[in-house]
Amino acid sequence: MPSLIATPALQGLTPVTHGSLTLAEATPARLTSVAPFRGQAEAVGRALDPLGLRFPAANAVIEGAGGRIVWTGPGQAFLLDADPAPLAGLAALTDQSDGWVGLRLSGAGCEEVLARLIPIDLRPQVFGPGTAARAPLGHMLSVVMRRAEGIEILVFRSMARTAVHEITVAMAALAARQAG
């Protein structure tokens, strides 16, 4: 019987640097889908309060001492790096930790790189810290978040290699254009 060895989806793929741009792994240790049950939205907000969080409005990511929560659709969010136990009985909770990977693109020009792949305006004056969106990255579903450290992108684990490839090609093209 073969022995299987679990390996990280981004092993050997990151970090990648081109010029001032760096693509690095930013996979949350824990990722839980949260969908409040009917009539429980306020109770979910109260349960998140001890973590320094609240249920996010559309296109928002909220950071607190206990983790982050990012809007992923109407009545739905991802709880990142936080224990979802206080939400039990108040929301449908699904552990998605093994299904997603996170990437962080940082450095001058990261918005220009992603403009080639994501059809939303990522300039800081439009997509500032605390902003999130669900948008395609090329042909892949992604969740995009602006953080102080750069732009973070969540993609399905099965698309990790493709996401790194697409972003890396765009990084190299921008670096070549800036150098020439």
Side-chain angles (χ1 to χ4, degrees), residues 18 26 48 52 54 59-60 70 105 117 123:
H18 283 285
L48 289 168
R54 63 186 184 285
N59 299 319
V70 59
L105 184 61
L117 302 167
R123 291 176 299 155

Side-chain angles (χ1 to χ4, degrees), residues 30-96:
R30 188 175 205 169
L31 191 153
T32 307
S33 176
V34 178
F37 294 135
R38 187 178 309 260
Q40 295 298 315
E42 287 183 26
V44 166
R46 286 190 300 274
L48 289 168
D49 195 45
L51 300 172
L53 302 173
R54 63 186 184 285
F55 199 80
N59 299 319
V61 58
I62 298 162
E63 299 195 41
R68 293 181 284 160
I69 190 163
V70 59
W71 177 88
T72 56
Q76 176 182 353
F78 281 166
L79 183 63
L80 308 173
D81 296 323
D83 182 4
L87 304 175
L90 303 173
L93 304 172
T94 308
D95 182 7
Q96 305 254 334

Side-chain angles (χ1 to χ4, degrees), residues 21 105 108-117 122-123 151 170 174 177-178:
L21 296 161
L105 184 61
C110 65
E111 296 85 4
E112 290 178 67
V113 168
L114 294 175
R116 298 165 182 251
L117 302 167
L122 296 173
R123 291 176 299 155
I151 297 175
L174 181 65
R177 190 178 89 206
Q178 290 174 339

